[in-house]
């Protein structure tokens, strides 16, 4: 069965995620309304700006529906701003910024600081075989605290930058920008067989 995987399409690098999802054999659909959310087996929360996405989730009346789907076990993958949205708590966020939850972590927004706003590095990621993954960080968060159910898959500068909690995956970096489809392939596998992949 071809899984249907949504990409939250309110803001951010939606097209790149849709392309990466088709490359791993899923049908990618842009999600802007609840009727579209209802059709998907999993959801990608793209990079962009978490404060803006939080505001738009409320405007489009998607905050609660997405929260409920994630709480109900729908697989979700957040990259960068998406990781921030999935986190239980955000440090250096805006006070009115809302969370989708799903990931029992505390993240620090824009954690790598001004001098290194953007950088690239090679990362070994648990669950991904072969060459290290080229990771592109753009005003990226890192994880400062992880709950007991959270598995750390990769670290940079001593901090977790790829984590997983059951059906929820998050990376501080942007695999959709490099043409290396292995992180999306991991997420597609999680959507295809959530129980087996957990
Ligand atoms: N700094 C952004 C935020 O706070 C995330 C940047 C990104 O997604 N590339 O949402």
């Amino acid at each position: 069965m071809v899984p249907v995987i949504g990409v939250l399409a309110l803001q951010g690098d939606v097209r790149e995620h849709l392309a990466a999802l088709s490359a791993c054999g899923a049908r990618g659909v842009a999600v802007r309304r609840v009727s579209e959310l209802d059709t998907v087996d999993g959801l990608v929360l793209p990079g962009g700006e978490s404060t803006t996405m939080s505001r738009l989730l409320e405007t489009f009346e998607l905050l609660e529906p997405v929260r409920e789907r994630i709480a109900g076990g729908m697989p979700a993958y957040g990259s960068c701003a998406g990781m921030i949205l999935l986190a239980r708590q955000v440090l250096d966020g805006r006070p009115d910024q809302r969370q989708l939850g799903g990931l029992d972590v505390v993240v620090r927004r824009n954690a790598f600081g001004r001098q290194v706003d953007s950088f690239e590095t090679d990362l070994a990621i648990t669950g991904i075989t072969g060459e290290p993954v080229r990771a592109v960080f753009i005003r990226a968060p890192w994880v400062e605290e992880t709950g007991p159910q959270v598995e750390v898959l990769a670290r940079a500068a001593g901090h977790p930058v790829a984590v997983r909690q059951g059906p929820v995956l998050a990376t501080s970096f942007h695999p959709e920008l490099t043409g290396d489809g292995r992180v999306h392939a991991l997420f597609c596998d999680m959507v295809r067989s959530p129980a087996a992949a957990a």
Side-chain angles (χ1 to χ4, degrees), residues 47-51 79-81 84 109-110 138-139 174:
E49 179 52 55
S50 58
T51 54
S79 96
C80 202
I84 297 173
R109 202 167 147 246
N110 303 331
I138 305 168
R139 305 191 70 222
H174 292 270

